Amino acid sequence: AQSVTQLDSQVPVFEEAPVELRCNYSSSVSVYLFWYVQYPNQGLQLLLKYLSGSTLVKGINGFEAEFNKSQTSFHLSKPSVHISDTAEYFCAVTPYGGATNKLIFGTGTLLAVQP
Amino acid sequence: DAGVIQSPRHEVTEMGQEVTLRCKPISGHDYLFWYRQTMMRGLELLIYFNNNVPIDDSGMPEDRFSAKMPNASFSTLKIQPSEPRDSAVYFCASSLGPRVETQYFGPGTRLLVL
């Protein structure tokens, strides 16, 4: 079985400051990793994904994430945030090569960007 | 394409009433997923369909919940009878093929059971 832990339920940050949202996972098999963003009153949108290859993954809106297998982490970061980045961010995993199509989500981190 | 369409967007009902949530997937997508989002448990997969056939319903909380997909363009999630603990945001998602990263999410239905 897999599980995802997002260590921070809320991250307040000032505009133009850097931010890192933390994600750790637990799995007995290899996994694919994802970050989704949910803007207020909207559904989830895929921000970026790690399937294989380079451990540094770039996504939309200037976000990137680094897969660290030894630390079982997939932290999301952005060097300079904007007010419009205020949203909830979800880390998710799915087993590599498994028959399931399930996404297992973390509980989410609310990024609150202040002027 | 209009994306995944869910209705209603908001539903307020009283305990014991039947609730039906509706989803129209993106045309041509052959997978459909129902998720529930709560503060306590986050996002959970309830059930998913492939070509209108339920594949995995292990996430459905109990017998009060049922889901159907009578055709490729329509699915329902029904709660009967509803309880206050069912209050949550219910998301529908669809994808072309089983790749999870290709799932497109609808805007969700916010359900409040009084």
Side-chain angles (χ1 to χ4, degrees):
Chain A
Q2 291 76 38
S3 66
V4 178
T5 302
Q6 292 184 244
L7 299 170
D8 306 300
S9 60
Q10 186 167 349
V11 173
V13 63
F14 287 107
E15 194 172 18
E16 297 183 7
V19 70
E20 180 180 78
L21 306 183
R22 296 180 292 172
C23 172
N24 288 85
Y25 70 92
S26 173
S27 177
S28 57
V29 300
S30 296
V31 295
Y32 296 136
L33 301 115
F34 309 88
W35 276 98
Y36 285 83
V37 59
Q38 183 182 23
Y39 297 104
N41 299 314
Q42 295 186 27
L44 277 72
Q45 300 175 34
L46 181 63
L47 201 56
L48 49 79
K49 61 187 177 186
Y50 173 78
L51 304 181
S52 64
S54 172
T55 57
L56 183 62
V57 180
K58 294 189 184 299
I60 61 172
N61 301 340
F63 284 92
E64 62 182 32
E66 184 151 24
F67 171 52
N68 187 321
K69 189 173 183 179
S70 62
Q71 300 290 324
T72 61
S73 68
F74 190 53
H75 300 333
L76 179 72
S77 64
K78 185 171 181 177
S80 175
V81 296
H82 303 287
I83 295 288
S84 59
D85 293 322
T86 294
E88 187 130 26
Y89 293 79
F90 293 90
C91 183
V93 303
T94 193
Y96 171 77
T100 180
N101 300 303
K102 290 182 177 181
L103 276 167
I104 297 99
F105 287 91
T107 51
T109 297
L110 177 62
L111 176 62
V113 182
Q114 304 164 11
Chain B
D1 197 311
V4 176
I5 299 172
Q6 291 187 248
S7 64
R9 293 292 310 276
H10 302 273
E11 176 83 21
V12 180
T13 190
E14 293 186 345
M15 182 174 64
Q17 296 298 306
E18 178 180 292
V19 175
T20 299
L21 311 181
R22 297 173 176 79
C23 175
K24 176 179 170 56
I26 292 174
S27 177
H29 281 191
D30 55 350
Y31 282 80
L32 184 140
F33 306 80
W34 282 101
Y35 290 88
R36 179 174 66 175
Q37 183 181 39
T38 61
M39 291 291 291
M40 293 298 295
R41 301 174 67 92
L43 262 163
E44 304 171 282
L45 178 65
L46 300 178
I47 185 172
Y48 77 90
F49 297 81
N50 177 217
N51 291 324
N52 313 336
V53 176
I55 302 301
D56 185 346
D57 65 354
S58 60
M60 296 285 265
E62 49 196 274
D63 291 345
R64 297 185 296 106
F65 285 70
S66 62
K68 294 182 180 179
M69 192 164 185
N71 58 62
S73 59
F74 184 66
S75 177
T76 60
L77 178 67
K78 189 174 292 187
I79 309 172
Q80 167 62 21
S82 58
E83 296 182 3
R85 59 192 169 119
D86 301 330
S87 298
V89 182
Y90 292 82
F91 288 101
C92 177
S94 70
S95 67
L96 177 60
R99 298 285 295 268
V100 294
E101 70 270 27
T102 65
Q103 287 183 28
Y104 287 83
F105 283 78
T109 295
R110 188 173 297 273
L111 173 65
L112 177 61
V113 183
L114 303 174

